[in-house]
Amino acid sequence: EQDENVIMEPIVFEDGFLATKAEELETVIAKEARLSVVSLKSNAVIERRSGRLVENDNASRVDLIRTCYTIPTNRLAEPGDKVLYVQVKDPKGIIMGANQTVTVDGEQITYSKISRFYYENKPLDVCENVKNTRGDFLEGKYTVNVFNGNELLSTTEFVLD
């Protein structure tokens, strides 16, 4: 039971408290507005003459590394043209494909393929094919990374026999 005679006093904050809280909130929103990647899957494929891709784990028969992932819904992210970097490393740690380097926020990233797409704040499936520009595929473990700028979003591995 509330007493009607109680007078609520205004809350007084120290100087800068609200500004600090606003900055903290902006940081959280900026972090949450970044794109993320789910369901990252990479595998080796043979490219048929028809253009059809067939999964295969035999290193001597493989033509491409196919990497697919989903960008989930993010209502805080700005819609528009986006760029992610796909990096495929062979068993010796050599980066396959384009093997180009970009500098993002002072850090260098060497990528195999650039994923360019238009994001509309809806789930989006993206697939990229990476060729081996150095000759035959090697037997062993391959590592695939997806970066947003210099931030590693997801990683996966697969093995070729």
Side-chain angles (χ1 to χ4, degrees):
E1 195 177 311
Q2 288 186 340
D3 185 354
E4 291 179 24
N5 296 329
V6 173
I7 299 174
M8 299 294 286
E9 291 191 30
I11 299 173
V12 179
F13 293 107
E14 293 178 28
D15 285 341
F17 178 81
L18 290 179
T20 301
K21 287 298 177 191
E23 287 173 12
E24 289 173 5
L25 185 57
E26 284 178 25
T27 301
V28 168
I29 290 172
K31 183 178 178 187
E32 294 301 317
R34 292 185 196 141
L35 295 182
S36 60
V37 167
V38 296
S39 305
L40 175 62
K41 184 175 187 224
S42 287
N43 53 17
V45 295
I46 297 170
E47 187 174 21
R48 300 278 188 217
R49 286 188 188 157
S50 66
R52 195 172 123 231
L53 301 176
V54 179
E55 254 185 80
N56 193 305
D57 61 3
N58 184 334
S60 65
R61 299 194 59 213
V62 171
D63 297 317
L64 304 165
I65 302 299
R66 183 159 177 84
T67 299
C68 296
Y69 55 89
T70 301
I71 311 265
T73 299
N74 184 339
R75 296 183 198 282
L76 295 177
E78 288 285 325
D81 292 323
K82 304 293 180 188
V83 173
L84 296 182
Y85 299 97
V86 177
Q87 181 188 71
V88 180
K89 291 183 181 180
D90 73 10
K92 291 183 177 178
I94 296 170
I95 296 174
M96 301 173 59
N99 197 2
Q100 298 289 314
T101 302
V102 293
T103 302
V104 181
D105 296 331
E107 289 187 42
Q108 289 191 331
I109 299 161
T110 303
Y111 62 87
S112 302
K113 185 93 176 200
I114 296 178
S115 284
R116 297 179 193 276
F117 52 89
Y118 188 83
Y119 183 67
E120 297 178 325
N121 300 92
K122 299 177 194 170
L124 179 65
D125 294 326
V126 178
C127 288
E128 298 292 352
N129 296 325
V130 174
K131 293 184 178 183
N132 186 357
T133 56
R134 299 179 186 268
D136 294 334
F137 284 84
L138 304 173
E139 292 182 4
K141 182 170 64 173
Y142 287 73
T143 303
V144 179
N145 300 308
V146 178
F147 291 90
N148 183 3
N150 58 10
E151 177 186 11
L152 178 62
L153 299 181
S154 190
T155 189
T156 189
E157 296 176 335
F158 65 93
V159 175
L160 290 182
D161 301 323

